[in-house]
Amino acid sequence: MNKIQKGALTLFSFVMIALCTLFQYTSLANAAPVSSHVQIVGSTDIIWFGEVNTEGCSVTDTNSQVHVYTQPFAVCALEAAADAGGFSYTVKDFGGSLGLFLQSVGSDAGADDFSTYWSYDVNGTAASQGISSQLVNNGDSLYFHFEDPAADPNVRSVIEGLTYLRSEQQGSGQITGFGGVTDWATMSFAAAGINPATVSHGGSSLIAY
């Protein structure tokens, strides 16, 4: 192969690489954000509840390492929820195929011996992989919850009940589907110390209804 042929081959290779790179970034730029529903429940309260949109994110783990994702993984939905809700969280990198796991949200932090820990469900089923490996699809429901075997089970029952009521709230602010009426649901939130005026699910609040 002479010099001209080698030069032409090299030029062709560079052009193909440039075209592949351009196609990759164009595809990412044109990708529509994925919408998902996120619930975050701590040891004693509902930390956040709502809809988020994401197509990727950048997060920093507990070792100050930055992780960039160009797809809507569960960690990106968590990041979007933190931005919307104004709460803090930390993630720990277990490396390899395990990737990132949720370490803490607010004051609820998992113990080093895993006697307490954060877990999450996807569409009502316990997730089988870390939050940086779980891709989120449009309409998915993510439920992050803090597990503490020593906690008062009655407190968790109240939190789970209120979380369910929120999931049944309509855009009008009305809560249906639990065999009761919105008035009783409103009193339940108030009894738990939650202002009913702040309880909404992508629409009007309980008080507005």
Side-chain angles (χ1 to χ4, degrees), residues 60-91:
T60 304
D61 65 27
T62 52
N63 289 322
S64 299
Q65 295 297 310
V66 178
H67 302 261
V68 178
Y69 303 99
T70 57
Q71 292 179 283
F73 289 103
V75 66
C76 297
L78 177 64
E79 171 69 12
D83 286 342
F87 61 84
S88 61
Y89 73 94
T90 62
V91 292

Side-chain angles (χ1 to χ4, degrees), residues 44-107:
T44 60
D45 60 353
I46 300 172
I47 296 173
W48 198 79
F49 181 102
E51 306 290 331
V52 299
N53 293 314
T54 183
E55 54 188 333
C57 63
S58 175
V59 297
T60 304
D61 65 27
T62 52
N63 289 322
S64 299
Q65 295 297 310
V66 178
H67 302 261
V68 178
Y69 303 99
T70 57
Q71 292 179 283
F73 289 103
V75 66
C76 297
L78 177 64
E79 171 69 12
D83 286 342
F87 61 84
S88 61
Y89 73 94
T90 62
V91 292
K92 185 174 182 178
D93 185 9
F94 283 84
S97 60
L98 295 176
L100 301 183
F101 281 76
L102 183 56
Q103 179 70 17
S104 71
V105 179
S107 60

Side-chain angles (χ1 to χ4, degrees), residues 165-182:
L165 290 178
R166 282 181 181 252
S167 70
E168 294 297 311
Q169 190 174 21
Q170 309 301 309
S172 65
Q174 180 184 21
I175 292 181
T176 60
F178 67 102
V181 294
T182 305

